[in-house]
Each structure stands twice: as C-alpha cells, then as structure tokens.
Amino acid sequence: MTRLAGVGLFVVGGLVLFAAALFMVGDRRMAFARTFRVATQFSRVTGLQPGAVVRVSGARAGTIRRIDPPTDPAGRFRVELDITEELHPLVRTDSVASIEAEGLVGGSFLSIEIGGADAPIATSGTMLPSREPFEIADMLQQMGATIVKVNATVDVLTGQVQHALDSVVVTVDNANALITSVSDDATRIASAGARISTDLADLTADIRDGDGTVAKLLHDDTLYRRLAAAAEHGEAIAGDTRQIVGDTRQIVGDVRAAVERLRGTDGQVTGLIDELRQTVTQSRSAVSGFADNMDALKRNFLFRGFFNRRGYFDLDAVSPDDYRKGVLTGGGERPAVRIWLTADRLFAPAAEGAAGTPVLTDDGQARLDSAMTAFLDQLPGGVLVVEGYSRDGSRQSQFRTARGRAATVRDYLVDRFGLDAQRSGAMPLGATPVETPELASWSGEGIALAYFSDPARR
Amino acid sequence: MADRPMPELLPTPAAPVPPADRIGAGVLNTFALIGGLALWGGRALVEALRPPYDVDEIVRHLYDIGWRSTPLLATSGFAIGVVLSMHTRASLERFGAEAMIPAGLAVAVVRETGPLTAALLAAGRVGAGIGAELGAMRVTEQIDALEASAVDAFKYLAVTRIVACMIAMPILTTVMNVSAVIGGFVAEHAISGMSWDLYLERAFSLIGFSDLLPSTLKTIAFGFIIGVTGSYLGFAAQRGTEGVGQAATRSVVLASVLVIISNVVLVRLIFFFYPQGGA
Amino acid sequence: MTAVDLGERQGGAAATAAADAVRFRHVSKRFGTQAVLRDVSFAIPAGRAFCLLGRSGTGKSVMLRHIAGLVRPDEGQVLVGGRDVGALSSRDLASVRTGIGFLFQNAALFDSMTVGENVAFPLRRHTRLTEAEIVARAHQRLAAVGLEHDYGKMPGQLSGGMRKRAGLARAMALEPALLLVDEPSAGLDPMTAVEIDDLLLERKRAGTTLVIVTHNIPGARRLADEIAVLHDGRILESGTAAALDASEHPLVRRFMRSVGGG
C-alpha cells in the first residue's frame, strides 16, 4: 500500500534523521566516548557552563559536567569534567587547567595543558591545579591603576628630582673647581634626570596606546602577563627614582658637607672627594638601572622578552661571600671564564700608594681591550664581573685596594664597550683568588675579568 | 457528543452599529474564539488518550500532512540554507570569521529558523487543508452525517488530524533542518570549496542537545496549534462555499499568528529549563 | 403529566408513549435571536410515514436534527423510542443513533471514501462483521438502490440522483427502524424524484418508520400516512392528506394546493 509506505518512509526516515543529528551532537559532546572524571577549582568561572567543551592541549577532549559554587566567600568554584580516555595519558597531576575563550564570538572552554612526563597520570577524582582566568576588565583596571600610579610618581618625582638637581647644580657651583670630577658625574645625573621625565611621559603614552593593542588581542594571555610585568616595572621605576632622589639628596648633603669642610679645614680632602665619588657612582648605577627598566618597559610593549634575558640577581646586592659561593654560576649553568691580569701591568705605580684611586696606564687599557676580545662575541647575554685582588696590608686596606682596582677597570670597560651597567659589576675579593689563577706570574695583586655566559645562549 | 458544544462563532450584528459596539463585539469575538480554541484543544488532548484510536485515520492524515508536505519543506529548507549561508557569509566576512559560517548557520537553523519556518509553512499548507476539508464537510453535512451514524465526529475528524499534525511537525522540522544544512553546504562548497566532512564538523561544533531537542520537540506544540486551529475553524464553517474558503483562510492566518505567539512562550520556557540555551 | 397528554392529543394517534417511534413534547429552539421551533409537540407511531411540509426556513430540517440528537432542544423533550435524546449520555445517544438512518439533503457522502466505503462505513463502525461480510453487505445495499456497479466510484463521480440513492443505501446499512429523510426530491428532476420516492415507499412497506421533510406535495401524498404543516416554528395542522385538503386554515389549503418542486 503506497500510502502506508509513504507514511512509513516519512516517520522512519524522519526519526532516523533526527537520531543521526542527535548522534552527531552527542559524538561531539563525547556522550558516547569512555571518559574519566577529574576536577579543578577556580575562584571565578568567567562564563564557563556545564556542557562546555574541555580541550587538552587544544584537542577536543570532553565536557564540563557540573560546577558547584563555593559555600563561603573564601571558597572556590569546583568544576567537574569528563575527559575521553583517549587523551588520558596526556593528563598528569601537574596539568594546569585554565578557562579560555573560544575565539571572538565563541563561549568559554576549559583548557588543560599536557602535564610533565615525570608527573603521575591523573586518575579519576584528581584535583588538577588551575590558573585563574584573567579578564580584560581586570587588565584594564590594573592598567588604569598603573597609569595613575606612574603619573603620580612622575608628578611627585619630577618636582623632587628637579629640586634635587637644582640643589646639586647650586652646590656644584659652590664647590667650584675643587670638585670638577664630581661635577662631571653630577651633570650626567642631571641629564639622566631630564630623561626621566620624558621617558615617563613616553611610558604613560605607551600604556595609553596599549589600549588599542589590547582591544585587538582581546584574549592574549601573554599580553596580560607582559602587562602585569609592566606594572611591576612601573613600580620598580618609582623605586629607582626614589632612590635617585634619595641619592641625589645625599650627594647634595655630602657635597655641602664637603664644601663646608673644605672651607673649614684643608685636611682629608682627597678622602672626602673619594667618598663623594663613590656615592655618585652608586647614584649613577641607580640612574642607569632606572633607564634600564624604562627601556625594558618600552621593549615590553613591543613584545620583546626582556625578562628572559635579564639575570635573576642584582649584582649590587651580591656580597663577596655569596660571590665566592657561586651565586652567579646558577648551580653550574653559568660557569665563569676568567682572564687574569696583574696590577703592575695595568695601573700607574704612582697612584698606587694614594688612597684608593688607581689609574689605568695606556698599556693597561690596551691589555684590558685585548682581554675583552675573548668575550666580545657573547657580550650582551652574560654577566661580567671584575674581581679585584690585593694582599698588601690589613684586610681593610686589601679590600679598599681591591675595590678600587675592580671599580676602575669596570668603569673603564663600561665606558669603553658600552656594557650594560646592570650586568657588569666590580667585586673586591681581597687576597684569595676564587680559583687558581691561570697565570704563572700571578702576584696576588691585580684583577680578573670573570665572564658568566648566558645559559640560554649555549 | 450531545453535551459537546460545537464551535459557534458569535453572529455578527446585521444592523449598522456604533463603532464602540463594533469594537466591543470584536473583543468579545476574539475572546470567544480564544476560549473556544482552548476548550477545543483541551478536549482534543483528552480524547486523543481515550480509545478507540483511529489509527487508520491518523495514518491517512499523516500521509497528507506529513509525507505530502515533505517536498515543500525540503525545497524551502534547501533554499533557506542557501540564503542563510549567503547572509551569514556577508556578515561574518567582515570579522574574518568565515570559518564560523557553518556553525552560525546550523545554530540559526536548528534553534529557530527551522522550527518556525517549518511551522509557518505547515500552517499554510496543512492548516488551510484541514480548514478547507473540514469546512467542506461541515457545509455538505458530512460532519452531521458522521454524528448521525453514531460516530464521534470530533474524535474521528479533529483529533486524528491534530494527532497527525503533532507527529508530523517534528519530523517535518527535521527534514527542514537537514535540507537547510545541505543547502548551506552547497552554497558554502560553491564559494569556498569546503568539504562535506569539514562542513559537518563545523556545523555541529556549536550545537548541543539543548539546542536540538527542545527546539525540535517544541514543534509538537506548533503541530497541535495548527491542527486545533484548522479543525476548529473547519467545524465552525458557515454554510456555503464562501464559508469553506473563509475557514481555510482564517485557519492559515490564525494558526500562523498563534504559532508565532506561542513560540515566544515556548522559547521563554526552553530558556527556563535550559538556562544556558546553548553548549 | 399534562405534557404527555398534550403530546398525545396533538399527535392525534391513540398510542402509548413507548409505542411511538418519535415524540416531541413542547419543543422550542432558537438560534441566536431567531426562534426556529416554538412549543412543538407531536408523536409518530412506529411503522408510519410522517411528512413535514413547510416553506424553506420554517425549521423542518431542525426537527429532523432534533430527532437524530444533532441539535438539542432549548425547552421540551424529544423522545426517540421512549428515550429523551437531549438528556442521553454520549454512549446512549450513540446506541439510539445506530437505530436511526439519516438521508441528508445532498446525501452528505464522505468525499474521501468510495461509494462502497461510504455504505460500508456504518457497518465497520458498529458491527463485528468480517471484512468480506461487510463488503458483501455493502454491495447488497447498493444493489438494492440500483448502484451495484458503482461500488468503487468516488462520490464526486455520481449524479445527484445516484448520490441520493447511495446516501439511502448508507442510511439503511444498519437496517434502522427509523429513517429520517431531508428533502428527498431536492435538486432532482421529477423522474428521479419519483424513483427515490419508490425506494422510500419500499422501506415503508418493509416496516421502517419514515420521517420525511419535504415541500414536494405529490411526493408527500404518495408516501405519507400523516402530514404536518409547519409555519413560523409551529405546526399549523396535521393529519392525513385528505384531512389537510379539507382544512379550514387558508395557509394549509394554499400549501396543499401548490405543487412543490425542489
């Protein structure tokens, strides 16, 4: 009967089509796959819903089963998810779960990173670690806060810096020709101070421009992290700047004191000037640190991985003791290459006796230049430390001589080769060498250029 | 049977009446109509569950309502798929999101376009058919003849058609959805050369059970509305061929309007039970 | 029970309520504002042929519909075989209806079925006969009205007279004791009308009670044992054709003299 056949075809065909559609949906929802269930926790679920997709390393892997809200404000949302057995071996106990957005218009999905090969495979019921979702709103809020902070700092500091610099200039004028060498440095600080203002203005503009970039890369987590780093930088800058101001004030004070004393008595002039120079050097390093941060921040917005190349240590903060213990070698990852140079070949003998300011001879400069050629081709990456040695006299005098030698050589090299001030240091080590000098004529008086190369470069 | 109120529309006043009265009569008529439809539908549901089940009649109507509507629905679905594909392309291209075309189209079709269009087309074809057929039976006294032969005309004529509509509607919707997806594929393939497998994969990427199941099953309600409206107005047809035509026309208009209005309620209801509405 | 007495008096026949095939007791009916029947009472004894005469729109068809339970009276009672049709449950009404055949004005054949299926329809619904028996019975009924060759035709393919005969075959399918006929000669040529009347006469001889609504006076004279003239919702007068011919009522006399057509 054709009518019955038609109706049969209609009903059965329709049901088959519908069942096929259901199957297609179910298949994509992993409704028919064998799965195991794990859980994770978030303090915020940003649009994640039961039924949402789970991806392991980008591959469709399962579904969110349920999301239980926390019972108290301090708690976190507990998210349970099913993952297909197929991808089970990739999910380890250290696999990090995060909530991501599926393109510009899609919903949220849960992303699970492939775990470490050493970590045990996650079993049913494992609580996976999670990374809290970031939201563009938070990011913008943080950016706003950073801008405000930076602006405020700039406002306050520009005034203070200006004031300090004015004092310096006045003081320097007062000090007159007596301290010409210091005034040189002071002028440098002054010009660096001028840069602070423009750089900060640039930075603020950059952050503001960042808005546009941000809108385009709506869901780029990396950008967010970089931005967070930028905020840290901003604070570092503020810190640096405060230090500069503090230093500058000290300089001003010192200079004033020096001038007072100069006017009062004639004694100990050289020592005072030396002290002053030291302060200025420190201040300069702070200024250059500031400039460094500033540059980093700029590069940050151009998406350069500044942090990766930067050392995780602060050379100024490393004590000779720590240095001997090998903090800079990074547990053997950064072995040092040393070149030994004796003092008699580097410094003019006349200056030797005078209080701590050794002077490089032309021959000494030439020797340093040639020694540096060994490091030149790997220069930007690593860390250069000038180790100063001396075994004459008391420990204090050893230390001072060693420090004078190291600082002189370091300053020379920084100027000569434009070394990164952050990654070059002077280390007074007294009488005992860190390792046996590879120099037959080693007298215990001199310096060693220690170069710690960048592990990433090897 | 005897205690069954047959549909009787309020007689329209013959003499010229003041506008206010006419509006009043219109409002009364509307309420009477809605009330009549509601009673009619409610009784149909009760009667549908009570034996005897006129299976032969239901099959016969399924043939007319379902099988013979399939070509119409399939063709329309295909065309809608092609057109939707072009539209989604035009709007998604701007965002460089051409890859979303199959998913966007499938979601649009499965969630709303398919069920609603299928219901409106069925209201046109089936609703008019039921209205005209039953109207003609009323006018030529066939309904009376049935009643006089001790057959429950309501159950025999109306309930079987309503049930057939309720069975046919989700199937027709599925046919519509499938042909729309195929139509979308043809358009997509012609422009971008996308393969069937990839198209299908993407088309289903955003569809969940909560998209497919409630939106398809809600068309059972659409089928119910179409069947109830058509049979009610057919039974209420006034004498004469004019009455038959009127029953047919009014069935289409009223069924379409009721489908669209009920859709609002149904979608609201679906969102209530499936708050995510997706995923 | 004055109502019963009244009904008996107006019915004119000395019969008990139970023996009457149909009895109207003070039946009134209105559609909207229009009164169609006003306090109508009469009785039809079993086995008799009763003709309702009247102009179009006087409520004749409505009276037939009351008997079949298609319309319920606003007031009064309609008794069929002694049972109040208007007060019956749907199940009881169905059992009353299986005892009634109804030949509609335009036969009201089901368009979706063949002529044979139309005749077989009541048999299928109300008997436990086998398929073969039903088909055989339907053929037999069609043969009785001269349509033995038209079993497989659709109603649309038949002429008006043939449809009416098919309708009669369907109405008689269950061999009811009471046959209601609405305008047997309407829309038919005189020859065909006479053929239909012959068939009805045959039914009468077989013992079926006939209630015929018509405005065909010659037909009524041939068929009816008793004729009632309906005017303005009331029965003006009832009695044998001869009695009405001699009526004092001018409207009745005028009516009886006219030669009604379709």
Side-chain angles (χ1 to χ4, degrees):
Chain A
M1 189 177 173
T2 51
R3 176 182 290 165
L4 205 59
V7 172
L9 190 60
F10 175 70
V11 174
V12 173
L15 288 179
V16 165
L17 283 179
F18 190 60
L22 281 181
F23 177 79
M24 297 279 282
V25 172
D27 194 37
R28 269 152 194 78
R29 301 279 138 182
M30 306 269 171
F32 312 118
R34 290 193 48 219
T35 57
F36 66 104
R37 180 167 295 191
V38 292
T40 184
Q41 288 184 318
F42 292 100
S43 47
R44 195 170 40 193
V45 287
T46 30
L48 197 70
Q49 298 165 336
V53 173
V54 174
R55 289 178 190 276
V56 170
S57 193
R60 192 185 270 268
T63 323
I64 303 292
R65 277 295 150 225
R66 53 183 295 181
I67 298 177
D68 293 330
T71 48
D72 62 302
R76 301 207 286 170
F77 288 89
R78 182 189 159 86
V79 178
E80 284 185 18
L81 48 141
D82 286 345
I83 300 175
T84 173
E85 282 291 343
E86 255 185 304
L87 295 167
H88 200 158
L90 300 183
V91 183
R92 305 293 172 118
T93 49
D94 65 344
S95 286
V96 177
S98 60
I99 298 172
E100 316 257 342
E102 196 148 18
L104 211 59
V105 289
S108 295
F109 69 92
L110 192 80
S111 170
I112 294 176
E113 287 163 15
I114 294 180
D118 306 332
I121 291 178
T123 52
S124 260
T126 301
M127 179 69 71
L128 297 180
S130 66
R131 184 167 58 237
E132 288 297 333
F134 91 92
E135 273 190 346
I136 194 71
D138 298 346
M139 194 169 90
L140 292 176
Q141 199 180 353
Q142 178 154 10
M143 272 184 63
T146 307
I147 290 171
V148 168
K149 204 184 269 180
V150 168
N151 275 346
T153 316
V154 168
D155 286 348
V156 172
L157 295 188
T158 329
Q160 292 183 353
V161 166
Q162 202 55 51
H163 182 75
L165 289 176
D166 287 348
S167 318
V168 169
V169 172
V170 171
T171 317
V172 164
D173 282 349
N174 285 349
N176 217 329
L178 280 173
I179 40 168
T180 39
S181 58
V182 175
S183 84
D184 228 18
D185 281 331
T187 317
R188 244 192 266 169
I189 295 174
S191 75
R195 262 178 59 209
I196 295 173
S197 312
T198 47
D199 280 354
L200 276 178
D202 285 355
L203 161 73
T204 321
D206 265 350
I207 293 179
R208 284 187 189 126
D209 289 350
D211 273 348
T213 327
V214 164
K216 271 181 229 149
L217 298 165
L218 210 61
H219 296 300
D220 188 351
D221 190 24
T222 341
L223 177 67
Y224 170 68
R225 281 186 229 135
R226 285 184 181 156
L227 214 92
E232 279 175 39
H233 271 285
E235 283 170 36
I237 289 166
D240 282 346
T241 317
R242 274 191 205 101
Q243 199 194 328
I244 293 170
V245 173
D247 286 350
T248 315
R249 279 192 185 137
Q250 201 192 328
I251 293 169
V252 174
D254 285 353
V255 170
R256 276 194 190 134
V259 171
E260 292 303 317
R261 278 189 231 169
L262 277 175
R263 282 186 183 151
T265 59
D266 269 352
Q268 295 180 342
V269 172
T270 338
L272 273 172
I273 289 176
D274 192 38
E275 223 173 282
L276 188 58
R277 181 195 289 275
Q278 231 166 37
T279 322
V280 169
T281 309
Q282 273 171 19
S283 173
R284 187 173 58 190
S285 95
V287 168
S288 79
F290 171 82
D292 215 22
N293 269 327
M294 191 64 71
D295 282 348
L297 198 53
K298 283 179 180 168
R299 268 177 277 166
N300 200 338
F301 275 92
L302 299 173
F303 310 113
R304 297 239 179 97
F306 166 77
F307 256 178
N308 298 338
R309 280 194 274 134
R310 187 169 172 180
Y312 294 102
F313 43 79
D314 187 354
L315 271 183
D316 293 340
V318 177
S319 69
D321 222 28
D322 288 340
Y323 182 80
R324 279 184 197 283
K325 285 179 188 156
V327 285
L328 290 195
T329 60
E333 273 196 14
R334 257 190 306 256
V337 176
R338 284 193 175 75
I339 295 177
W340 303 84
L341 293 161
T342 51
D344 53 343
R345 304 252 171 110
L346 292 176
F347 304 106
E352 192 71 38
T357 38
V359 176
L360 282 170
T361 60
D362 289 350
D363 183 45
Q365 290 183 358
R367 279 170 191 276
L368 282 174
D369 289 355
S370 90
M372 275 302 285
T373 50
F375 310 130
L376 283 180
D377 46 347
Q378 23 176 337
L379 249 188
V383 175
L384 181 73
V385 176
V386 182
E387 298 167 352
Y389 297 103
S390 171
R391 61 179 187 191
D392 273 0
S394 66
R395 286 200 65 159
Q396 288 98 319
S397 113
Q398 280 178 11
F399 178 80
R400 280 182 51 176
T401 313
R403 187 175 66 182
R405 284 172 181 162
T408 305
V409 170
R410 188 239 185 179
D411 286 354
Y412 169 74
L413 290 176
V414 167
D415 274 356
R416 175 90 172 135
F417 295 99
L419 294 184
D420 189 339
Q422 264 318 78
R423 259 173 286 157
S424 49
M427 188 59 64
L429 292 176
T432 328
V434 174
E435 63 181 44
T436 317
E438 292 169 13
L439 189 68
S441 59
W442 181 250
S443 56
E445 300 284 346
I447 59 114
L449 302 180
Y451 188 75
F452 301 86
S453 53
D454 180 4
R457 292 201 153 219
R458 288 177 304 128
Chain B
M1 278 180 242
D3 52 346
R4 166 162 312 125
M6 281 289 158
E8 279 174 23
L9 301 180
L10 288 187
T12 31
V17 286
D21 283 11
R22 221 173 326 170
I23 292 170
V27 171
L28 274 181
N29 260 331
T30 310
F31 278 121
L33 182 60
I34 291 170
L37 277 174
L39 280 175
W40 192 258
R43 251 198 349 262
L45 286 180
V46 173
E47 289 289 336
L49 298 174
R50 276 219 307 245
Y53 313 105
D54 292 295
V55 179
D56 287 352
E57 277 299 292
I58 293 175
V59 168
R60 191 169 79 82
H61 297 317
L62 259 182
Y63 182 78
D64 281 341
I65 292 165
W67 175 248
R68 290 175 62 181
S69 298
T70 305
L72 171 73
L73 275 281
T75 321
S76 314
F78 187 87
I80 285 171
V82 171
V83 171
L84 268 184
S85 171
M86 295 195 289
H87 275 305
T88 42
R89 169 169 291 278
S91 41
L92 289 178
E93 225 168 23
R94 260 178 273 164
F95 307 107
E98 287 99 330
M100 296 286 293
I101 294 173
L105 179 138
V107 167
V109 165
V110 167
R111 273 208 189 164
E112 206 47 79
T113 314
L116 195 60
T117 317
L120 290 179
L121 282 173
R125 189 188 175 279
V126 176
I130 293 176
E133 199 181 356
L134 294 183
M137 290 188 80
R138 160 62 78 205
V139 167
T140 58
E141 295 182 309
Q142 290 179 53
I143 293 178
D144 291 326
L146 266 179
E147 286 285 339
S149 333
V151 172
D152 186 343
F154 175 72
K155 197 160 156 55
Y156 184 78
L157 296 177
V159 173
T160 52
R161 281 171 171 80
I162 293 168
V163 169
C165 280
M166 291 168 75
I167 296 174
M169 213 49 242
I171 298 177
L172 287 176
T173 302
T174 305
V175 168
M176 183 105 193
N177 289 347
V178 168
S179 38
V181 168
I182 293 173
F185 166 70
V186 169
E188 183 62 36
H189 184 75
I191 293 173
S192 71
M194 188 184 284
S195 76
W196 170 244
D197 285 347
L198 181 60
Y199 180 84
L200 216 56
E201 175 69 33
R202 287 190 176 164
F204 278 90
S205 63
L206 290 184
I207 297 180
F209 287 120
S210 58
D211 293 310
L212 186 58
L213 277 173
S215 64
T216 305
L217 295 184
K218 81 177 175 190
T219 60
I220 293 177
F222 293 161
F224 178 71
I225 288 170
I226 294 168
V228 166
T229 314
S231 56
Y232 182 81
L233 293 176
F235 266 67
Q238 307 287 315
R239 286 190 168 272
T241 40
E242 204 181 316
V244 177
Q246 222 172 42
T249 317
R250 295 186 63 180
S251 297
V252 175
V253 174
L254 194 58
S256 305
V257 169
L258 289 179
V259 159
I260 290 170
I261 292 173
S262 69
N263 190 38
V264 177
V265 180
L266 286 168
V267 167
R268 193 76 204 82
L269 218 62
I270 289 171
F271 276 123
F272 180 76
F273 286 111
Y274 295 86
Q276 301 102 34
Chain C
M1 285 181 84
T2 47
V4 178
D5 297 338
L6 251 178
E8 277 168 0
R9 216 177 333 115
Q10 274 217 338
T16 62
D20 287 334
V22 176
R23 173 181 289 268
F24 272 52
R25 280 183 189 155
H26 306 290
V27 172
S28 293
K29 180 72 186 175
R30 48 176 61 236
F31 290 121
T33 53
Q34 188 192 0
V36 182
L37 296 180
R38 303 167 195 251
D39 193 24
V40 173
S41 297
F42 65 89
I44 305 168
R48 306 285 289 272
F50 185 85
C51 261
L52 284 162
L53 279 182
R55 291 160 73 164
S56 305
T58 46
K60 302 176 309 239
S61 298
V62 173
M63 287 176 76
L64 284 190
R65 289 168 176 273
H66 272 100
I67 298 169
L70 297 174
V71 178
R72 285 190 295 170
D74 293 338
E75 285 165 40
Q77 291 170 309
V78 176
L79 303 178
V80 175
R83 300 163 87 181
D84 183 354
V85 174
L88 291 177
S89 70
S90 49
R91 178 189 293 244
D92 291 340
L93 181 61
S95 81
V96 169
R97 278 171 169 171
T98 51
I100 302 175
F102 201 138
L103 175 55
F104 287 86
Q105 192 169 343
N106 291 308
L109 296 177
F110 305 131
D111 291 330
S112 55
M113 304 177 194
T114 63
V115 173
E117 285 300 311
N118 261 285
V119 178
F121 184 77
L123 298 170
R124 285 192 206 289
R125 300 294 296 198
H126 300 298
T127 67
R128 293 176 184 278
L129 299 175
T130 64
E131 179 62 25
E133 287 171 321
I134 287 172
V135 173
R137 187 84 60 99
H139 271 289
Q140 195 186 322
R141 292 277 176 271
L142 279 174
V145 295
L147 292 176
E148 56 270 37
H149 304 302
D150 303 301
Y151 189 97
K153 283 186 181 162
M154 296 306 284
Q157 296 170 284
L158 300 186
S159 69
M162 289 162 87
R163 291 164 67 92
K164 206 142 243 182
R165 281 189 280 168
L168 181 60
R170 185 179 69 187
M172 295 309 297
L174 293 171
E175 300 183 342
L178 174 61
L179 181 61
L180 310 177
V181 185
D182 195 1
E183 304 283 7
S185 54
L188 300 182
D189 61 89
M191 283 297 289
T192 317
V194 168
E195 279 174 28
I196 300 293
D197 287 347
D198 287 345
L199 288 169
L200 292 175
L201 212 53
E202 215 173 280
R203 293 319 319 161
K204 183 187 164 189
R205 289 195 193 108
T208 310
T209 310
L210 294 178
V211 183
I212 303 164
V213 163
T214 188
H215 33 232
N216 179 0
I217 311 295
R221 287 181 194 280
R222 271 189 76 198
L223 289 168
D225 296 315
E226 188 176 344
I227 297 174
V229 177
L230 212 65
H231 182 75
D232 201 17
R234 296 176 204 277
I235 293 179
L236 288 183
E237 206 164 335
S238 65
T240 59
L244 290 181
D245 282 338
S247 169
E248 298 284 301
H249 206 296
L251 260 176
V252 175
R253 281 225 307 270
R254 201 166 72 195
F255 208 90
M256 291 305 287
R257 272 183 222 130
S258 68
V259 179

